[in-house]
Amino acid sequence: MNKLEKYLPAMAWIKEYSTDKLQADAMASFIATILLIPQSMGYALLAGLPAVVGLYAGIIPSILYSLFGTSRTLAVGPVAITSMMTATILAPFAIAGSQHYVAIAIMLAFLSGVFLILMSLLKMGFLSNLLSHPVISGFISASAILIAVGQFKHLIGVQAQGNNLIELGKSMILHINDINLPTVILSIISIFSLLLFKRHLTPMLSKLGLSESTSNMLGKSGPVIVVITTTSCVGAFSLDSLGIKIVGDINNHLPIIPVEYFTLDNMIDLLPGAFLISIVGFVGSVSVAQSFAAKRKQNINPNQELVGLGLANLGAAFSGSFPVTGGFSRSVVNVSAGATTPMAGILTGLLMLFTLLFLTPLFYYLPTAVLASCIITSILQLIDFKEFTRLYHFSKQEAVGLLATFFVVLFISMETGIIVGVSLSLLFFLWHTSHPHIAVVGRLPGTEHFRNVKRFDVETTPSVITVRIDENLFFANARVLEDYVLTLVSQHNDIKHLILMCNAVNMIDASALASLEAIDDRLKSAGVTLHFSEIKGPVMDKLTGSSLIKNLSGQVFLTQHQATKSLTTK
Amino acid sequence: MNKLEKYLPAMAWIKEYSTDKLQADAMASFIATILLIPQSMGYALLAGLPAVVGLYAGIIPSILYSLFGTSRTLAVGPVAITSMMTATILAPFAIAGSQHYVAIAIMLAFLSGVFLILMSLLKMGFLSNLLSHPVISGFISASAILIAVGQFKHLIGVQAQGNNLIELGKSMILHINDINLPTVILSIISIFSLLLFKRHLTPMLSKLGLSESTSNMLGKSGPVIVVITTTSCVGAFSLDSLGIKIVGDINNHLPIIPVEYFTLDNMIDLLPGAFLISIVGFVGSVSVAQSFAAKRKQNINPNQELVGLGLANLGAAFSGSFPVTGGFSRSVVNVSAGATTPMAGILTGLLMLFTLLFLTPLFYYLPTAVLASCIITSILQLIDFKEFTRLYHFSKQEAVGLLATFFVVLFISMETGIIVGVSLSLLFFLWHTSHPHIAVVGRLPGTEHFRNVKRFDVETTPSVITVRIDENLFFANARVLEDYVLTLVSQHNDIKHLILMCNAVNMIDASALASLEAIDDRLKSAGVTLHFSEIKGPVMDKLTGSSLIKNLSGQVFLTQHQATKSLTTK
């Protein structure tokens, strides 16, 4: 891999590019664009932005990711979860849909891009690991419910706003009298057709004799069919005069935002939100990219993904749109339409630009209730209650973490939910490591194996006690070992030597070092000698030269067998 | 150990109590009380409270801890660090020294007691482990400097307030013209004598023919000598008329605090501070208790310590004083004066009560500059710069944690310092565990041992690759393993079997489980079978019945040797 390829991963596929591949990519991007248009507009509305912003978000970001990302198949653009997060992050700053709101959305995308690139430069991608599986699971299920409930207002044609179920509910009840019957009827028809298509279109098409891949691909075109049909009907019969809200005039020029909206104060206030949306977007995107890459024995580089997604977000900011990331459903569309390289992403971006420039009048009569129906039917599959039962059987503690995240997101806010979830994960992990498995061990007669005295019939000597600790030694459990050893020694009067068997210790930090020194000191004053056995290479490297080893009352033995042999024969 | 003894640890020593012990304890408590009086008054002033509150804090809390704590020698009362923390926590609530301020201090002690007891009931004592050794070290050194600088105002007789060096400095410069020359002279004399006594009193006394233990004990009486001499001089020559501030009238009735000061709002605002002071006090106290217990082969129970300290703080609240904890210097006094059981603590409490009731007029002319001198000379020994160099050689990352805590405490605030320190510890730990040592291993020819292919000349088979991960598998590194394995597989075309060797894995959480399932799925779709070897007993217990094991494409082998033997002969 040469240097250019390192910074511009696209070089890897560009130099092997061929007309065959171009044909496949062109076809895939054509199909993907058609399917993505209503989705992108819907997500923009979900984020509280004009529908057209969703189209912007599908142009530059998609092209930049294709050049700088490492996945061959990931499609980048607006995604349900981050769009919803955008809405909740922006809510305190400006009125949804206003120019000021658009300005803040641009700043959010910009900051998100900066964060992602900074994380790459500082090798801080590991921060995304803080989002444990249960937290992500609870977060996504709750967000999906929030999104669905939030979209419900479009289905019945009322105004409603809120960052959690309670606020949304109150707000909808307040406007309950504005329900528009034609909108409700249209929504019911849309949702019904969408669900019908989703379940039956693919099997129907393959019954009609189409090949499996073609039916699979066309089977996803339900939303397109519904969008075209409803838009035509509304246009033909001027149904908008009945109160059905339509997308209307789309201004396809880049928005002109007054400079004074971009203030440093707003930027600082946006930082926490931008950080969260970056992390959540990155985690989602990488797991999608990984699952597609593995199927093809390809390989993605998480650190370069930070760069790719970061540039995509900067691109989003400079083309006047909102945070983007790699999405599962758009990537599925891309792959099943036959994309072979990221060229498909570049072409999708260009086709989206073409749409924006020349085809927006076609969306004039597109009803927002239909866009909301598309979002709701696609978002509901993200809700996963089975995960909870599964988790409950594996670890009740982690199941509590999932539930806490879920309910806090639903009833307080998405950001608080993540913070609570991450804090609980950390707490549970610390709880676990601060209650390590510690055992007194003895020798299995006639072998060199040492086992827990409580589980095996082993040989021990009253004057030599061996303690095995099955955990890394660090601040969370340093004092626990101290307590354990000192209690043990206070209970055994004949003890002369204490051996700490460290075969399961992968790290020792300064707190543990201080504790071990304290143990050595305190044992010394109680007339007991401290020894170590089976310290791993990397751990020993770190300990060599430390005052613990320099002042150790006893010895460091390579193996436990050597240790007992040498100490019991003394 | 019977049930009563479990809840009232004092039963253990009460039933073995004798007149011999009583004599020793009575003598010790008499000496300790004399030495503790100026210290306690000084710490009360440090906390921003009237000096007499320091005496209150030495009565009920000392008695309650003696009955409910598990250390035989720990002395509980006001302590420098927690007194300073009290001052910074209370500063936003009321004016130091006012009745309102005393009320908030009482609430802080009450909440601290409740927290400690709650932590014991919920078995949350492990939370105190969050304070890693470097954080504590940085925190204590910086606090000691802050305390010394804060006391400096008493030495020069000016007013000054502040929660960090900058605020204190600015405040002192503002009042620079109020410097009182007689106070400065008195301070210089006091500090000089205190330092002289500290260094030379013990050797001098033993030269005079006193036994080592007696000289050691009397050697600590420097502050008492200075207090008595200066108080007498100030009284005899009415030096207070020169502007030297004195303790003055001590109101030895319990303060009558208007009920309206105890509001729920204040209580809620105090929660974070109360939590921090509880944790810091508990950690300090337990480490002091442990170091004394170990010397006598005694044993302390951290969970019962929470109860003991919790009740001591509730006692402090109900006797109108401020947070207390176990202190190093007061325990040293206790031990070196010859205390044998916690009875010494009970007697010290009673003598302190006697002092409060009958002897307070003696302290009328005690100059606050002298109390400040005592605090400064004793606090400076807590500053430990060597620890930083030591740590720097062991772990640069953790040394950064220490420095960050140190400077944030000095220049921002004690609470922020702890929060920054703990966050950095967690971050560094997560960074460490999310960069685990992972190695491809092969068999040492002719043995059943498997070692890193990069370090040893081992046998491998292209179709069977074994990966050993030297770390717990949990959310912080779950995706790292995923990346590693998938990259590895994408680079080896001949691979048919992948074995994960888990001998160093002490835990697997739900995130890691999900990652392992994802690895299995992705390897399946790439035509590779996943196996495990050497999973530890407790980890396997948890995995049994999980969908990972149910759907695993390969097998779980007890030993790595079995795994390679079985897979390579296929």
Side-chain angles (χ1 to χ4, degrees), chain A residues 129 133 290 471-472 476 483 511, chain B residues 129 290 471-472 476 483 511:
Chain A
N129 297 340
H133 191 75
Q290 257 174 352
E471 191 53 80
N472 294 332
D483 287 342
S511 305
Chain B
N129 297 339
Q290 257 173 352
E471 192 54 79
N472 294 332
D483 286 344
S511 305

Side-chain angles (χ1 to χ4, degrees), chain B residues 133-143 401-403 405-407 409:
Chain B
H133 191 75
V135 170
I136 295 176
S137 175
F139 177 77
I140 289 185
S141 290
S143 303
L402 185 156
L403 271 195
T405 312
F406 180 80
F407 284 113
V409 169

